[in-house]
Amino acid sequence: RALLGLVVMATQCSSGATRAPYAVVTTVVSRPCDLSKERICRAHHTERKIAALAYKMGCQLSAHAYTGPKVLLMHGTYDTDLLTMLRGQGWDIRNITRDMQPLFRSVPGVPQPLLQLPPRKPKIVQPRNDGWATLYKLFAWTLVDYEMVLHTDLDVVLSASPEPTLKRALASHLLFQALPERAYRGYWGLNTHMMLLRPSQEVFAMLMANAMRGHFLPFTRTEQDVLETMFPPEVFLQPEWGVEIVAGSNVNGTRASNAKGDAGSAQRPVSWPRHKHWGPDAERALCAKYAHCCPAPTERDDGRRN
C-alpha cells in the first residue's frame, strides 16, 4: 500500500543551538511493586536489575560498533555504583522523575477515556496497573538537542547496529515511526518496543495533554494507546508506516503543496535494525548471544556480597 505522509513544521532547539544528528535512547523506571504478583516487575523493575539491563543494552550497542550518543531517561533514585557503571559506559543520564501514577486512572469528572470508537470487544482491554510507568518513554520527545532518536525498550536483543537506521531516518526527514500491531484490537495499533522519532517539545506537550485528559482509546493502558491517538496507523492504512516532515508546510495534519505546486510524494518507511523483542525472556536471550555482557559489573559485586 502507498505510504501517506503527515506534514508538520520542523521544530528547532529553543536556544537556537545546532542539534546533534541522532542518539539511541532507552528509559528506566523504578517503581514499587508486589514481587509475588507481578512477573514483569520481578523481571525488570527493581532498581539494581533495571540498571543492569541498561548496562547490557549499552554492551550490545558496543558489540555492533555503535559509537554515537546514548541517552538514558531515568526515573527514580539509584545507588552511586549503578550511576558510575552506566556513565562509565557512555550513557548520558537524564533525570525525568515526575509523579505519573495518577495517570491512566479515572480523570476527574470523566469515568472513562473520552475516545470510545471503534467499538470494543468485551474483556480485551489489558488489566495492567503500571501504564503510568510507560509514559516516561514520551520524554524522548523532549530531547531536542538531537535531530533524530531511536528509542528502544530494554527487552530488545539487537542483531545489528542501529546507526544505519538512524542515518536513513535523518536523511528521509521522518517524523515518527513505530511497528504496527493489530492483536485483538480490530484496528491497526502500535507496538512501541522500538520507535524512531524527531524530538519536539510541542509534540511532547500534546502527547502528555492527551494522556492527562484521558484522550485516547484504551487497549494496552500504556503510552502505546496515547501514541495511537496522535499517530493512528489505521488512518494511514499501513502495516508499517512513517510520517513525513516537510519544512515550511502548514501544521494541518494533511499533506500540503510544496513550492512546485505538487502534493508531495509518498515515503517508504525506514527499515529497522535487525532485532527481536523478547519480553520477559530478553535477559536469557541476550546473555546467550552476548555472553561477555553478562553479568553486569554491579551484578558481580552483588553476587560477591551475597
Side-chain angles (χ1 to χ4, degrees), residues 127-291:
R128 292 184 63 161
N129 62 2
D130 65 342
W132 63 270
T134 70
L135 287 178
Y136 293 98
K137 291 165 64 172
L138 301 182
F139 279 81
W141 268 271
T142 68
L143 300 175
V144 294
D145 38 343
Y146 298 101
E147 291 189 52
M148 183 63 59
V149 157
L150 184 145
H151 186 287
T152 179
D153 288 354
L154 290 175
D155 55 359
V156 166
V157 178
L158 298 167
S159 296
S161 172
E163 203 145 21
T165 292
L166 280 161
K167 289 179 178 178
R168 286 192 295 269
L170 194 61
S172 71
H173 305 295
L174 191 76
L175 175 64
F176 173 78
Q177 183 174 300
L179 289 150
E181 185 175 75
R182 198 169 177 89
Y184 305 108
R185 286 173 174 84
Y187 60 91
W188 280 109
L190 297 175
N191 186 309
T192 58
H193 70 265
M194 189 171 281
M195 300 184 286
L196 284 163
L197 61 98
R198 187 173 294 270
S200 161
Q201 293 285 5
E202 292 80 5
V203 172
F204 173 72
M206 288 188 284
L207 289 167
M208 292 304 298
N210 282 347
M212 290 187 288
R213 294 170 183 167
H215 191 76
F216 55 87
L217 186 64
F219 176 71
T220 61
R221 301 182 72 215
T222 68
E223 99 294 343
Q224 290 182 176
D225 296 344
V226 179
L227 288 167
E228 287 170 7
T229 301
M230 188 155 179
F231 302 107
E234 195 168 60
V235 171
F236 299 99
L237 300 177
Q238 291 303 307
E240 182 174 52
W241 63 283
V243 182
E244 188 176 0
I245 181 169
V246 178
S249 62
N250 295 323
V251 186
N252 58 8
T254 60
R255 289 194 296 167
S257 297
N258 60 22
K260 296 182 179 179
D262 64 58
S265 59
Q267 178 189 349
R268 295 185 63 81
V270 175
S271 58
W272 297 103
R274 293 195 311 277
H275 70 281
K276 184 169 181 178
H277 182 214
W278 281 90
D281 297 321
E283 188 172 21
R284 177 184 58 81
L286 186 155
C287 291
K289 189 176 183 70
Y290 303 103

Side-chain angles (χ1 to χ4, degrees), residues 73-85:
L73 299 172
M74 178 173 279
H75 167 274
T77 303
Y78 293 76
D79 292 338
T80 301
D81 63 329
L82 300 175
L83 298 176
T84 300
M85 173 183 71

